[in-house]
Amino acid sequence: MVNMNRILSHFRDSMIFYSLSLISFCFNVSCSDNSLDYTELKQINEKVTESELKKYLKVIRLLPQKKVPPFPSVYAPAPNWSHIRSLPIEDLVNSEQINLSQLWEIERISDHFGNRNRTLKKALHRREMSKDQFISITLAIGLAASRHQLREDQNLEAIMQKGNKVIHQLQLDKRPFSSLSLEERHRTLNEAMWIARVNRAEHLIQIPPENVNLVRTHWDELKEVLPPEFLKNPLEDLLDPLEEHGIPFTIDEIDSNDRLQWTSTEAIIGTDPPDPRLDKIK
């Protein structure tokens, strides 16, 4: 009987210990997701304050490389559809737009950023910042840095307006891409480049001027820590020389006048009398 009581007592103590351990585990798990007092993410159209930037840079200074770890790209390249794609052009365009919009999702970036980087996790924990918050500020500051690189003649509203017209025409094209001739495919891909241009412009135009000024003020430090794709003109790799500058006109200066041919039969000769005002100018 004594042994039975001991067994029951031991069993009761074990159950109590197990229950307390389970409660403690559940409490820790629930608290781990809510350990930060402030978990709101920074939107790209929101102002980044000096204090937020300072906290962000403190995280980076704790990292071995003193810069943002490899960051998933948000700037998609121009479409390069294979000549064997049999989908209609309108479907290819719509699919491309969906894929580009997904590149900007915090969840998608988080899945591919810093998952095995213990140093980053420690730095974020030390500065009381979540990984998603770090990503959102990187996007806000990075896009401001990108906009800082734009040329004065690169008007985002004009790019969006022109690009949307071209994209709309592509969305009306029901021809299978594989049915196009080589010249038509080249022209279509050249026009499809506007999908990437407009996507970038739509995000860049949301950046508050205050964020651009903040980047300009701290440029010497930010250019050393931000991902490389934010440190160059975001539209540079999507430029079309003909679109930008037109068809260049060149002529060989050596004996160039000798190559000009003129015949009276092909010349257009005016019959109006000379303007008397020209004599006064002389």
Side-chain angles (χ1 to χ4, degrees):
M1 187 67 180
V2 174
N3 291 335
M4 180 61 68
N5 289 335
R6 287 180 178 177
I7 293 174
L8 292 174
S9 177
H10 178 72
F11 177 76
R12 184 180 65 251
D13 293 342
S14 298
M15 290 300 297
I16 293 174
F17 176 78
Y18 174 78
S19 299
L20 291 175
S21 299
L22 183 61
I23 293 173
S24 176
F25 173 78
C26 293
F27 178 78
N28 289 332
V29 170
S30 63
C31 288
S32 63
D33 294 334
N34 302 285
S35 58
L36 298 177
D37 295 331
Y38 179 76
T39 58
E40 186 175 349
L41 304 182
K42 179 66 64 176
Q43 304 300 314
I44 62 174
N45 61 352
E46 294 179 340
K47 298 177 185 178
V48 178
T49 65
E50 284 278 356
S51 60
E52 288 172 332
L53 178 60
K54 185 177 180 180
K55 184 177 181 179
Y56 174 76
L57 291 174
K58 283 182 177 179
V59 173
I60 295 176
R61 294 189 191 109
L62 292 174
L63 303 177
Q65 303 299 325
K66 310 298 182 186
K67 62 175 60 178
V68 176
F71 197 79
S73 177
V74 293
Y75 291 150
N80 188 23
W81 304 321
S82 170
H83 68 281
I84 62 174
R85 295 294 300 272
S86 59
L87 286 175
I89 294 173
E90 61 174 345
D91 290 346
L92 291 174
V93 171
N94 294 333
S95 177
E96 192 75 24
Q97 288 181 313
I98 293 174
N99 292 337
L100 263 60
S101 65
Q102 292 174 345
L103 289 178
W104 299 91
E105 295 176 356
I106 297 291
E107 183 178 356
R108 195 278 307 183
I109 298 174
S110 183
D111 288 342
H112 298 85
F113 175 70
N115 292 328
R116 298 183 179 180
N117 193 327
R118 294 184 178 181
T119 307
L120 175 62
K121 293 178 181 179
K122 291 180 180 179
L124 291 171
H125 178 73
R126 184 172 175 180
R127 297 304 178 189
E128 298 183 340
M129 181 183 294
S130 71
K131 185 173 75 168
D132 286 356
Q133 285 177 320
F134 184 84
I135 291 172
S136 67
I137 296 179
T138 299
L139 285 177
I141 295 296
L143 282 171
S146 287
R147 186 158 184 176
H148 176 54
Q149 307 298 316
L150 290 175
R151 302 195 311 266
E152 292 184 1
D153 63 324
Q154 290 178 313
N155 186 302
L156 295 176
E157 290 186 0
I159 290 173
M160 291 167 55
Q161 184 176 8
K162 181 175 182 178
N164 282 324
K165 290 181 180 179
V166 176
I167 294 171
H168 177 68
Q169 292 301 315
L170 289 173
Q171 289 174 323
L172 298 177
D173 197 333
K174 301 183 181 301
R175 294 177 299 169
F177 186 70
S178 58
S179 69
L180 304 183
S181 66
L182 178 62
E183 182 180 351
E184 289 173 329
R185 289 200 304 269
H186 176 76
R187 183 173 62 252
T188 300
L189 286 175
N190 194 56
E191 293 174 346
M193 194 181 297
W194 283 102
I195 302 173
R197 289 193 191 115
V198 169
N199 179 266
R200 297 184 189 186
E202 286 175 341
H203 288 83
L204 290 166
I205 203 169
Q206 298 182 52
I207 302 302
E210 292 85 355
N211 288 2
V212 179
N213 292 332
L214 185 66
V215 165
R216 188 178 292 113
T217 301
H218 298 274
W219 181 244
D220 288 341
E221 184 171 9
L222 288 173
K223 69 181 181 180
E224 302 296 331
V225 303
L226 288 175
E229 78 170 351
F230 295 130
L231 302 178
K232 58 185 180 181
N233 189 318
L235 300 176
E236 200 69 34
D237 61 330
L238 297 174
L239 291 181
D240 180 357
L242 296 182
E243 182 73 31
E244 288 279 312
H245 309 293
I247 300 176
F249 176 80
T250 59
I251 188 169
D252 188 358
E253 295 183 358
I254 301 177
D255 299 328
S256 58
N257 291 335
D258 296 336
R259 300 185 182 185
L260 298 177
Q261 298 181 358
W262 180 88
T263 60
S264 59
T265 57
E266 296 179 354
I268 300 176
I269 303 175
T271 57
D272 293 338
D275 191 338
R277 290 176 297 179
L278 295 178
D279 294 332
K280 295 181 180 180
I281 296 176
K282 294 179 180 179

